[in-house]
Amino acid sequence: MDFTVINAALVGNLLLLLLIGMGPKIALVPFLEKTHAFDAETKARIGRQMVIAALITALLLFATGALLMRLLHISGGAVAVAGGIILALLAIKMAAGPIEKPHDEIGLPVDPAKIAIFPLAVPYLLNPVGITVIILVSGEVSSIAGVAMVIGLILLVAAFDYLIFTNIDVLAKRMKPASLVVSEIVFGILLTAVAVQLFVTGLGKLGIIAAVAVH
């Protein structure tokens, strides 16, 4: 992304990427599966903890992403390839449909505070797309206006997540299970394509293959 000129196209593209990388869709079904045995108050508390943890992680990554890449001697291409691989694993799991039983059905205890952080906050809410985009943007932003824009968009997406996951019981009553499963599979297929694109883009940045332009 070119942050030398901040315009509507740049804001729109970054917002879309953040909605994919930090929005509620990927985390929605795992959240419902892992919290279905809890009461509404506990679900709302897990939702708050999850969103806050994801937000803090995102802001820390944005503040330190460029520095971490320099210290670890990794390039933006390597970050994109790694993000593509991890996203592909999550996306393929989504596309395959629900196959795991919730923890309480197989006799394992569930700690609300722990699942709010892992796996719900990371890698489901703040997923590999979000982590990759935020780290790459950290190294590309070159002005105070750009920094303010990125932070503002991260906060906007986090506020949307907060609204969704703290009112999940109300929303769940309006969701048809069959429609939710179908949308999960379709979105999983689309995310697999995003993962492939991340991987290819990373290889292009590394000079392993010819750079591919995305229109």
Side-chain angles (χ1 to χ4, degrees), residues 3-208:
F3 284 87
T4 55
V5 178
I6 297 176
N7 52 32
L10 175 63
V11 173
N13 288 338
L14 184 55
L15 178 59
L16 178 59
L17 288 171
L18 288 174
L19 283 172
I20 295 172
M22 196 179 160
K25 183 62 185 84
I26 295 178
L28 184 58
V29 169
F31 184 93
L32 293 173
E33 289 177 347
K34 293 181 181 300
T35 64
H36 79 285
F38 295 116
D39 57 46
E41 183 180 346
T42 303
K43 288 179 182 178
R45 185 172 71 251
I46 293 173
R48 284 194 296 271
Q49 292 173 339
M50 176 182 72
V51 173
I52 291 170
L55 173 60
I56 292 173
T57 304
L59 293 176
L60 286 174
L61 283 174
F62 180 57
T64 63
L67 177 61
L68 287 174
M69 284 196 293
R70 285 196 295 269
L71 289 177
L72 297 174
H73 303 288
I74 55 178
S75 66
V79 173
V81 169
I85 292 172
I86 302 301
L87 178 63
L89 296 176
L90 292 177
I92 290 170
K93 182 179 176 182
M94 290 175 66
I99 56 175
E100 293 184 357
K101 293 183 179 180
H103 285 182
D104 62 311
E105 292 184 7
I106 56 178
L108 295 177
V110 178
D111 184 343
K114 288 184 178 178
I115 64 170
I117 306 300
F118 175 85
L120 293 180
V122 180
Y124 283 121
L125 187 58
L126 180 60
N127 61 62
V129 172
I131 293 171
T132 301
V133 168
I134 290 170
I135 290 176
L136 293 178
V137 165
S138 174
E140 295 175 1
V141 172
S142 57
S143 67
I144 294 176
V147 170
M149 181 199 68
V150 175
I151 292 176
L153 290 178
I154 291 174
L155 291 174
L156 178 63
V157 174
F160 180 55
D161 292 334
Y162 189 90
L163 180 65
I164 295 294
F165 288 105
T166 56
N167 295 281
I168 196 67
D169 261 10
V170 176
L171 295 173
K173 292 176 183 178
R174 301 175 181 274
M175 298 175 187
K176 295 181 179 180
S179 300
L180 199 59
V181 170
V182 171
S183 70
E184 184 82 349
I185 293 172
V186 171
F187 200 68
I189 295 171
L190 294 175
L191 280 180
T192 303
V194 173
V196 171
Q197 185 61 59
L198 268 179
F199 188 81
V200 171
T201 300
L203 293 179
K205 286 179 175 290
L206 291 171
I208 296 174

